[in-house]
């Protein structure tokens, strides 16, 4: 085989694990010539190492051989409701399993800062790291980092070399849109989350797919940033009834801002337009009207992340499938059947709206 050019990306431990069909902890065991690896598994790993011309880094050889009963947690979205609930549940589950948790929080993170946080935890002798970060670019940077211990990503679209726990975002979006279609709505708008978010993209995909399954058109969608302010801005010029009779908003905060802007313009929810959010934050039942939304069980995500981590630590030869949890639609007062007078309106919407 020809020598790789100097600028080609070198194979890392995750590439070896993926090719051999094992966890990267098993690769580390083989590299360190540790026991408790089946001969057939060891052979597969050694063949993958040869095939990829893999040279292990010091971190890959630094597999923890004595259990510290400590795990690391990096939360690159501190202060947000969903991730905060996940962290609480993860910590409670870890305490029940008699594990300690070392946590690094940041309001947001770029790839270098999050990678540094992961490396800091590795130096603290944690057995594995759980990563909460809704930024595909940061996640890509972390997945390219060879840390030598298991990494569990709470992520919609984790690449194959990371263990992952997620709620099925696309399925939740489809539930929201199907609810509106069943109520007679045919032109359903969407305000999406930021472009760097895998969750936002999955919700766009679900919105489009459900409309397509019913022979309906997905018109250009708006762009928000998860804040109520961006939903409010979107609602200030939103074309109610021309053509839209319903809107699927990618999270509850943006939906609340959207509803506020429409109310200021004199529109009634749901008489003039039905609105569905996403997340089911604690305030959702108490806004007026109470918000129909897609509930995510953030606590279950935290519990599943700890369970998956312990599974990997206890059986390093396995490469468990991603854990995908179902969302649940919560129907409240912000949606209603479409008005026959406006159903099927065909007016063209302006060019793509960005907020």
């Amino acid at each position: 085989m020809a020598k790789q050019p100097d600028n080609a990306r070198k194979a890392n431990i995750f590439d070896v694990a993926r090719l051999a069909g094992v966890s990267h902890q098993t690769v580390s065991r083989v590299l360190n010539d540790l026991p408790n690896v089946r001969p057939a598994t060891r052979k597969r790993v050694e063949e993958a190492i040869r095939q990829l011309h893999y040279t292990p880094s010091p971190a890959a050889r630094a597999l923890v051989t004595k259990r510290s009963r400590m795990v690391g947690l990096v939360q690159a979205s501190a202060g947000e409701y969903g991730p905060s609930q996940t962290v609480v549940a993860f910590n409670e589950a870890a305490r029940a399993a008699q594990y300690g948790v070392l946590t690094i929080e940041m309001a947001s993170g770029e790839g270098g800062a999050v990678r540094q946080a992961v490396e800091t935890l590795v130096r603290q002798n944690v057995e594995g790291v759980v990563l909460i970060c809704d930024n595909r670019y940061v996640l890509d940077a972390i997945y390219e980092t060879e840390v030598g211990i298991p990494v569990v990503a709470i992520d919609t679209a984790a690449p194959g070399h990371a263990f992952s726990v997620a709620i099925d975002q696309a399925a939740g979006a489809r539930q929201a849109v199907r609810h509106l279609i069943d109520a007679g709505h045919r032109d359903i708008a969407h305000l999406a989350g930021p472009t760097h978010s895998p969750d936002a993209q999955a919700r766009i995909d679900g919105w489009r797919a459900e409309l397509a399954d019913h022979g309906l058109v997905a018109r250009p969608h708006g762009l928000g940033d998860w804040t109520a302010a961006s939903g409010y801005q979107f609602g200030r010029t939103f074309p109610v009834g021309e053509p839209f009779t319903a809107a699927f908003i990618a999270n509850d905060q943006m939906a609340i801002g959207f509803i506020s802007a429409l109310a200021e313009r004199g529109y009634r929810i749901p008489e003039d337009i039905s609105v569905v959010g996403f997340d089911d934050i604690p305030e959702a039942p108490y806004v007026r009207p109470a918000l129909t939304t897609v509930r995510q069980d953030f606590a279950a995500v935290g519990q599943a992340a700890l369970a998956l981590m312990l599974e990997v630590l206890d059986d390093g030869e396995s490469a468990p499938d991603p854990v995908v949890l179902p969302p649940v639609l919560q129907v409240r007062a912000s949606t209603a059947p479409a008005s026959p007078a406006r159903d099927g309106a065909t007016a063209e919407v302006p060019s793509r709206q960005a907020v």
Side-chain angles (χ1 to χ4, degrees):
M1 180 179 294
K3 182 180 178 181
Q4 290 185 330
D6 292 340
N7 61 352
R9 186 180 74 83
K10 294 181 179 180
N12 61 35
I13 195 171
F14 302 112
D15 299 321
V16 174
R18 184 167 57 251
L19 181 60
V22 299
S23 71
H24 51 278
Q25 189 179 26
T26 296
V27 177
S28 293
R29 288 175 174 170
V30 173
L31 292 169
N32 287 279
D33 197 26
L34 296 175
N36 301 323
V37 179
R38 298 185 184 94
T41 302
R42 186 180 296 275
K43 183 178 180 180
R44 289 204 315 275
V45 171
E46 291 172 344
E47 176 58 32
I49 289 171
R50 284 192 296 271
Q51 184 174 336
L52 294 174
H53 302 285
Y54 170 64
T55 301
S57 70
R61 291 194 178 277
L63 175 71
V64 178
T65 57
K66 294 182 180 180
R67 302 293 289 267
S68 66
R69 301 200 71 81
M70 296 293 295
V71 291
L73 176 67
V74 177
Q75 183 189 2
S77 52
E80 295 182 12
Y81 169 72
S84 296
Q85 295 303 300
T86 296
V87 168
V88 170
F90 180 84
N91 277 276
E92 290 178 347
R95 283 195 296 272
Q98 298 184 324
Y99 265 78
V101 181
L102 295 178
T103 303
I104 296 178
E105 295 184 352
M106 51 191 75
S108 60
E110 52 88 26
V114 177
R115 183 169 55 247
Q116 184 178 28
V118 172
E119 292 170 349
T120 297
L121 290 170
V122 171
R123 289 194 294 271
Q124 297 299 314
N125 203 32
V126 297
E127 296 183 34
V129 173
V130 172
L131 178 62
I132 304 177
C133 179
D134 186 33
N135 186 316
R136 70 180 71 228
Y137 308 115
V138 174
L139 292 168
D140 287 344
I142 298 302
Y143 298 147
E144 295 299 332
T145 301
E146 189 171 323
V147 297
I149 61 174
V151 175
V152 171
I154 295 177
D155 176 23
T156 301
H161 53 255
F163 306 112
S164 67
V165 176
I167 293 175
D168 193 333
Q169 306 294 314
R174 293 187 71 128
Q175 288 182 40
V177 176
R178 190 179 312 124
H179 168 67
L180 293 169
I181 292 172
D182 289 346
H185 298 280
R186 295 296 177 265
D187 275 301
I188 301 169
H190 181 51
L191 175 60
T195 56
H196 66 248
S197 167
D199 287 353
Q201 184 58 54
R203 294 171 201 178
I204 293 171
D205 294 342
W207 165 69
R208 286 176 173 160
E210 192 64 28
L211 289 175
D213 283 355
H214 289 82
L216 301 175
V217 175
R219 299 176 186 271
H221 61 80
L223 294 173
D225 62 6
W226 298 136
T227 66
S230 67
Y232 178 86
Q233 185 66 27
F234 184 70
R236 289 183 63 188
T237 58
F238 182 80
V240 176
E242 297 179 2
F244 299 113
T245 63
F248 166 48
I249 310 297
N251 81 335
D252 290 348
Q253 285 91 342
M254 293 195 301
I256 290 170
F258 177 71
I259 289 171
S260 177
L262 294 183
E264 287 184 4
R265 295 169 59 196
Y267 291 110
R268 300 167 300 162
I269 311 296
E271 292 85 356
D272 296 317
I273 183 167
S274 289
V275 179
V276 180
F278 206 107
D279 285 340
D280 197 24
I281 62 175
E283 296 81 5
Y286 303 106
V287 299
R288 288 292 174 265
L291 184 63
T292 295
T293 184
V294 178
R295 182 173 187 269
Q296 301 198 78
D297 192 340
F298 297 110
V301 172
Q303 294 160 359
L306 190 279
L308 180 61
M309 176 65 75
L310 296 184
E311 179 184 351
V312 174
L313 292 173
D314 290 340
D315 182 11
E317 290 196 28
S318 68
D321 293 332
V323 176
V324 181
L325 304 175
V328 179
L329 181 70
Q330 302 289 322
V331 179
R332 299 192 179 103
S334 66
T335 54
S339 169
R342 292 198 316 274
D343 185 26
T346 58
E348 290 299 319
V349 69
S351 60
R352 182 187 179 104
Q353 302 176 56
V355 296

